[in-house]
Amino acid sequence: MMTTQPGPAPYGIDSIRIVAAHKGGFAQVAHLSWARPPGSREDDSSLYIRPFVGDGWTAYGSVNRDVAPNSTTEVQADRHRNAKFGELKMSLHGSGQTHVFVGPHRHRYRLPPVNGRALHDPAGGHLATITSADLTGLPLLARPLSATPPDIEFVAPGPGEGTAQLKVVLYVGTNESAMRERYPFLANTYLIRFDRPGLPNPVFFGMNCPHVPGPRKSTPGVRVVGGWGPGAKQDEPIPVVSIWAAPDESTP
């Protein structure tokens, strides 16, 4: 994994921790990591997203096989109380399969997978979105921010910092120049380059933090939505997977 602007840097990135300013420090919102580099499984190009959870929070997960990303719909969620960090996880596999765990990584906590296009599909596009309306209760980072690989922090604007809610949108593509041209907000920022011997070409990831207008909402928690993969359109019914962590009996 490498950052590029525009050429690859001489180091790799194993993980990115998304944080936001909160209570004089930085609240930990979500953790992105990739399948281990060659030596374990050279053909594994999976991306993992793990929301952080507060003390006594509940983990939720849902699978909807036929819903448009820009629509509003009621979901039936699985639930796991007193969740710990790492138990709630979304796995976006290079093959195009997406699945989630909503508890300890045993079979009964894994929800049914959905299938989309492979991460290295040339169509590229919107991959997943991470949001939080209120950072209250999230664990604070207990050390200084790190910009030194292999594990780095990505500081996103939090609720009240000129936006109603934290929102981090992930994009994927196989052509770096085409991604920057297609998404102007990626033109002058870093992209993450992912190489695997089993892939026909590199895969690039980019992140954007769009402004969300409106008043702040006092609804603590973190939500991750994904599953549709490259090439999907926002107004077409497709499989969507959601996970979220929040104080018990509430949703973010």
Side-chain angles (χ1 to χ4, degrees), residues 73-213:
T73 184
E74 294 292 328
V75 300
Q76 183 66 39
D78 285 64
R79 182 172 66 177
H80 173 64
R81 296 180 186 272
N82 296 314
K84 307 300 181 186
F85 173 71
E87 293 179 339
L88 182 60
K89 181 178 77 169
M90 179 178 292
S91 299
L92 300 118
H93 297 289
S95 65
Q97 184 184 96
T98 299
H99 72 265
V100 299
F101 283 93
V102 291
H105 292 182
R106 298 192 292 272
H107 180 73
R108 69 189 182 97
Y109 292 108
R110 174 174 163 165
L111 300 189
V114 299
N115 293 287
R117 298 188 185 183
L119 288 183
H120 59 270
D121 190 297
H126 182 192
L127 184 66
T129 299
I130 302 165
T131 59
S132 178
D134 189 338
L135 307 175
T136 302
L138 288 170
L140 297 181
L141 189 66
R143 55 169 174 73
L145 293 172
S146 172
T148 304
D151 304 298
I152 66 173
E153 269 77 63
F154 177 85
V155 182
E161 294 186 296
T163 187
Q165 68 175 7
L166 176 146
K167 188 170 186 177
V168 179
V169 187
L170 279 70
Y171 296 85
V172 67
T174 58
N175 184 303
E176 180 179 0
S177 298
M179 282 186 72
R180 296 186 188 280
E181 183 176 351
R182 181 179 181 182
Y183 305 110
F185 45 80
L186 297 178
N188 298 306
T189 190
Y190 286 97
L191 297 182
I192 309 300
R193 174 175 172 145
F194 190 98
D195 290 286
R196 278 290 184 272
L199 292 177
N201 44 253
V203 175
F204 296 90
F205 296 94
M207 293 190 288
N208 182 41
C209 298
H211 166 71
V212 179

